[in-house]
Amino acid sequence: MKEWIKITLILCAFGTLREIRPSEPFVTEFLLGEWRNITENQLNQEVYPVDSTKYAVVSSYTRIAALTGRFLSGLSSQLLVHYELMDYRDLNYITFTAQILASFWALWLPSVPYGIYFHRNVTAHPVTTNIEDKRTSDELNVDKRSLRKNMWEACTLIGRHARAAYSRPKVLAWSALYAAALALFVQAQTYVQLLWKHIQEKSHTPVAYNGAVEALQTLLGAFGAFLSSYFARAELPAPVLAVQGIAVFVATYIPNVFVSYAGYVVMGMLYHFTITMASAKIASQLSDESCFGLIFGINTLIGTALQSILTAVLIQSLHLPITSQYYAISGLFLLTASGWLFGWLINSVKQKKNINKLQGLQKINAAQMACSSSAIVQPHQRQA
């Protein structure tokens, strides 16, 4: 078996195991159930604002593997609960087992001989076993760089790559969209089970298809990510974000849990569409492949920070009820869509002005060339 195939299979298996968490679609029901003495207000104000899960996308294959794991989680949890084979507490045992397996599986991941920013010179001086090639400890100490110097060089290189990338307007714009879309999606996903619980209590329809909804959202999200490669126009994120905002609003306003399920699925599918498009746009603007991970890591960090700020403002400071939280998220989707549309319009006007200016210069040059030609031809005509 080829080495790259082996590594890819190991990474995909790890990603799948990492995402098998059948208890996740029903974590709200579990925490509010008989096993924990937690009120709905405590869950909203104190428990859920703790740190959000971070999803690292290494490549398209590992992304598909992660989505596969989430699909299996949603499907298995829904079937186990529907046929009463397990309750909400028992689902946590499967989640716990899968995470242990993923941890052990990580031990098989291949080691990296050197890094882009740190430990960049590990392979420069390979260790030899011959006696004549061995050096004294003093020589080795002289040859090794100090930790402080290595850290300074790494930080300098990180700063240089970040400045080179974010100095490009397109990278900056799409990175802002990436971070905003990530923050709003994670915020909506984290508390959506509380919204469903509230709607069920209000409409007196105690149904629980959370697992099936998560599975469907994952499948359609993968489809949305696939579609993004065929729709690469810059103006698309604005209407997509607007539809997400409308979907969240409808899912909150109409007191029907199935409508709320549908709104969540639409919002999630369009999120994967937007985030994949933004990733492709950013990658196409980066000339140095070594800074791909750095830029996406910074964008993810900013998105996570924005989501933390949303949690602090909407929940811990304003103490908004669950429906008001989602009305605010809906408004933020629409605000982000308006900001992107406004920026796109300004950029289009600038591009049109530049084109008109260029065309004007071309006309002036053509006129000057015509005048020069006529000036050369006229003396010959007089001589004739």
Side-chain angles (χ1 to χ4, degrees):
M1 182 181 294
K2 295 182 179 180
E3 188 66 19
W4 73 270
I5 297 178
K6 179 180 177 182
I7 294 174
T8 302
L9 291 176
I10 293 175
L11 286 172
C12 290
F14 172 75
T16 302
L17 287 172
R18 175 65 179 84
E19 296 299 328
I20 295 180
R21 299 192 293 268
S23 62
E24 191 170 274
F26 298 97
V27 67
T28 295
E29 281 75 7
F30 164 69
L31 293 175
L32 294 178
E34 57 184 309
W35 307 280
R36 292 289 184 270
N37 186 22
I38 300 176
T39 65
E40 186 172 337
N41 184 61
Q42 287 177 322
L43 190 64
N44 184 32
Q45 301 290 339
E46 301 175 14
V47 178
Y48 278 166
V50 187
D51 291 335
S52 303
T53 306
K54 299 179 180 179
Y55 299 98
V57 179
V58 178
S59 66
S60 60
Y61 295 108
T62 54
R63 183 177 182 86
I64 293 174
L67 291 175
T68 301
R70 293 190 65 85
F71 170 74
L72 293 176
S73 294
L75 183 63
S76 61
S77 64
Q78 188 62 57
L79 292 175
L80 291 172
V81 171
H82 180 74
Y83 290 105
E84 299 182 352
L85 298 176
M86 288 186 175
D87 57 25
Y88 301 138
R89 182 181 183 181
D90 294 337
L91 294 178
N92 289 275
Y93 298 136
I94 300 180
T95 301
F96 183 62
T97 303
Q99 302 316 300
I100 292 178
L101 291 175
S103 300
F104 280 107
W105 196 269
L107 298 176
W108 295 91
L109 296 177
S111 59
V112 180
Y114 61 92
I116 298 174
Y117 302 108
F118 301 94
H119 310 291
R120 291 182 292 121
N121 296 323
V122 171
T123 58
H125 302 286
V127 179
T128 58
T129 57
N130 297 330
I131 299 177
E132 61 271 16
D133 292 334
K134 289 183 178 179
R135 292 172 290 179
T136 64
S137 59
D138 292 338
E139 290 174 337
L140 289 174
N141 290 332
V142 171
D143 186 62
K144 290 181 180 179
R145 296 180 178 179
S146 64
L147 178 61
R148 181 179 300 177
K149 187 175 182 180
N150 287 333
M151 291 291 292
W152 175 256
E153 289 182 353
C155 292
T156 302
L157 188 58
I158 290 173
R160 188 187 309 156
H161 282 172
R163 285 194 302 270
Y166 289 117
S167 61
R168 300 189 176 190
K170 289 185 178 180
V171 174
L172 193 61
W174 286 100
S175 295
L177 177 66
Y178 184 102
L182 176 64
L184 292 174
F185 173 75
V186 173
Q187 185 71 19
Q189 186 185 50
T190 302
Y191 295 89
V192 73
Q193 293 179 33
L194 278 173
L195 177 65
W196 294 339
K197 188 78 172 177
H198 173 78
I199 293 174
Q200 289 172 357
E201 293 175 352
K202 187 177 180 180
S203 59
H204 304 289
T205 54
V207 295
Y209 294 111
N210 300 8
V213 172
E214 288 289 352
L216 181 61
Q217 187 265 129
T218 301
L219 283 181
L220 293 180
F223 180 67
F226 174 75
L227 285 180
S228 66
S229 60
Y230 294 95
F231 299 92
R233 290 178 295 176
E235 68 272 18
L236 272 177
V240 168
L241 288 167
V243 173
Q244 284 183 283
I246 295 172
V248 173
F249 178 83
V250 172
T252 308
Y253 182 76
I254 299 179
N256 186 305
V257 70
F258 293 102
V259 174
S260 187
Y261 284 157
Y264 172 72
V265 169
V266 171
M267 186 271 299
M269 180 186 70
L270 295 180
Y271 160 75
H272 290 289
F273 175 88
T274 303
I275 210 73
T276 305
M277 176 184 286
S279 300
K281 290 289 187 179
I282 294 171
S284 66
Q285 295 294 320
L286 298 178
S287 57
D288 191 352
E289 295 182 356
S290 63
C291 64
F292 283 1
L294 172 67
I295 300 306
F296 287 118
I298 292 175
N299 293 342
T300 302
L301 177 64
I302 295 174
T304 305
L306 289 176
Q307 191 265 330
S308 300
I309 293 173
L310 285 177
T311 301
V313 173
L314 298 179
I315 299 172
Q316 297 179 336
S317 296
L318 300 178
H319 300 286
L320 296 178
I322 189 64
T323 53
S324 298
Q325 292 177 34
Y326 277 85
Y327 287 140
I329 293 173
S330 174
L332 289 173
F333 269 116
L334 296 176
L335 182 62
T336 306
S338 301
W340 180 266
L341 181 61
F342 182 70
W344 175 78
L345 289 174
I346 291 178
N347 185 59
S348 299
V349 171
K350 287 183 178 179
Q351 288 182 349
K352 189 174 181 179
K353 287 184 178 179
N354 291 333
I355 292 174
N356 293 335
K357 187 176 181 180
L358 181 61
Q359 290 176 347
L361 291 174
Q362 290 175 348
K363 291 180 180 179
I364 293 174
N365 291 333
Q368 290 176 347
M369 291 178 63
C371 292
S372 300
S373 300
S374 62
I376 295 174
V377 171
Q378 285 176 0
H380 292 287
Q381 290 177 346
R382 292 193 188 100
Q383 290 177 3

